[in-house]
Each structure stands twice: as C-alpha cells, then as structure tokens.
Amino acid sequence: MAQNSYEKPDFWSQKAFSEGYPARSVYKLSEINEKFGFLKKNICALDLGSAPGSWTMFLLRNLGEGAKVVSCDLNPLSKDVFGDNLFFFQGDLNSKEIRTKIREQGPYDLVVCDAAPLTTGNRTVDTARSESLAEMAFWYAENMLKSGGNFAAKIFQGGAEQKILMRMRKVFFSAKMFKPQACRRESFETYLIGVKKI
C-alpha cells in the first residue's frame, strides 16, 4: 500500500532534521517571521502547545541571549531544546495553575501557537477542536501581550477562523490569515496573524 505524504519525509522534514530541529513546523514560523517581522532581539516570547519544540528552538536561536522564551505543552520538549533563557512548563494551558505561572513570566512581546488537536478524520470534529485551541491561544494574546505585541496561531479552515479574525481586529491594528508554503499541500491548516496589539 502506498504511503501518504504524512508518512514519508518531505523536503521540509529532511531540512528540519539536517538543521537540528525536532519537526518541520519550524519553517512555518520562519515564513511567518519573514512576512511579518515578528522576531526582534531580546524580546519576551510565549510558545503555546510547543512540544516537541521546533518553534521554541527557533525562538531561542533567533531572539538572542537577552530574550526570554516561555514554552508550555502537555508533553515534554525534545531533549535538544534547552537554554538558560528558556522557561518550560508542562501542563494544561487551560488550567488556572499554568495560566498563573505563564502570566508571572510576562507580559509578552510575542505569542505563538502551533498546537494541533488529535485528529479523528472527521473534519467537523477536527475543525471544532482546532477552533478551541485557537480560541485558547487568542485568550493568552488578549490577556498577556504587551501593547504593540504580535500573535500567530494555527487553525484548521472550516469557518471559525473568520469569527476569530473579527474579534482579533478589535485587539490588533491588523489581523489576517496566512498559509505558509511549508504547510503540506493537502492540509487545511492556516494561521491567524495579529500585528501590533492596540
């Protein structure tokens, strides 16, 4: 039986492996940064749903030693993801305890979230779960971003993205969707982008 493209390493997966990143998703954040200029030296950044840690590693490599990177996931980061300026919390991002710990490390100049739900194959179920994750990420951006801060979060396309964008436009100077080239062709994921919190 033929493999699908999720089972075999593609260009981006091979590139990630060669550059020491745990996953191909790093190039999505790289493209987002190239397009919107989110990464500035020595800022305070928050990575939500971060395991295995490619986005966290990218932030650590590109923000400078004076930056602070706060990262959180239910699962641990890859052992290769570490730094003196990294604060990792393992736990549920919706829990009061984790929210308190993350808030204590802020406020943030950047909030990013590449979290994806466990998929079922039922698009209605999967998009609803993705919407919940995007809503959670937006809550963090709304409550913990500094004025002028930026935001990027994954969401599965299915209609909810427009509803969240409408709310984001009340919080950011600019809010739009962006689909990086590094997304798999058959994927229905895209990214919500909030530029400069009001």
Side-chain angles (χ1 to χ4, degrees):
M1 188 167 74
Q3 292 180 313
N4 65 38
S5 66
Y6 282 83
E7 294 172 327
K8 56 188 178 182
D10 62 2
F11 166 79
W12 298 108
S13 298
Q14 293 172 1
K15 181 175 170 66
F17 180 76
S18 71
E19 294 183 358
Y21 288 106
R24 67 194 301 283
S25 59
V26 63
Y27 303 109
K28 301 170 192 176
L29 179 57
S30 178
E31 286 184 63
I32 289 169
N33 180 55
E34 287 175 16
K35 176 81 172 176
F36 300 101
F38 279 1
L39 303 193
K40 306 285 192 294
K41 291 295 184 185
N42 304 327
I43 65 172
C44 185
L46 173 61
D47 184 9
L48 304 168
S50 53
S54 284
W55 280 31
T56 294
M57 182 181 282
F58 184 80
L59 293 170
L60 289 167
R61 288 183 178 183
N62 288 276
L63 294 181
E65 293 181 0
K68 178 193 284 189
V69 178
V70 179
S71 177
C72 184
D73 198 285
L74 283 169
N75 300 306
L77 297 177
S78 166
K79 59 181 175 55
D80 298 322
V81 183
F82 59 88
D84 292 337
N85 54 341
L86 170 61
F87 298 80
F88 176 70
F89 302 114
Q90 187 170 346
D92 184 348
L93 283 158
N94 289 309
S95 76
K96 183 177 180 180
E97 177 188 6
I98 289 295
R99 286 184 173 185
T100 298
K101 287 181 177 180
I102 291 174
R103 189 187 294 275
E104 287 172 349
Q105 296 297 329
Y108 299 93
D109 301 284
L110 176 65
V111 173
V112 295
C113 178
D114 194 43
L118 292 173
T119 53
T120 64
N122 180 319
R123 184 159 178 172
T124 301
V125 172
D126 293 344
T127 53
R129 290 179 176 179
S130 175
E131 177 187 355
S132 294
L133 289 172
E135 290 274 11
M136 174 272 299
F138 178 54
W139 182 90
Y140 275 92
E142 198 171 20
N143 288 277
M144 300 190 193
L145 263 181
K146 297 176 185 175
S147 177
N150 299 310
F151 171 64
K154 180 192 295 184
I155 190 168
F156 292 167
Q157 293 170 283
E161 61 273 21
Q162 293 299 332
K163 177 179 67 175
I164 300 175
L165 275 175
M166 286 179 64
R167 290 171 52 206
M168 287 174 60
R169 290 186 178 119
K170 297 176 182 178
V171 176
F172 295 93
F173 280 103
S174 172
K176 59 188 70 179
M177 286 190 296
F178 176 67
K179 184 162 185 171
Q181 291 182 0
C183 293
R184 296 183 190 271
R185 281 177 295 177
E186 65 270 39
S187 170
F188 52 101
E189 69 182 15
T190 190
Y191 288 80
L192 302 167
I193 306 294
V195 179
K196 292 187 178 179
K197 185 181 178 188
I198 297 169

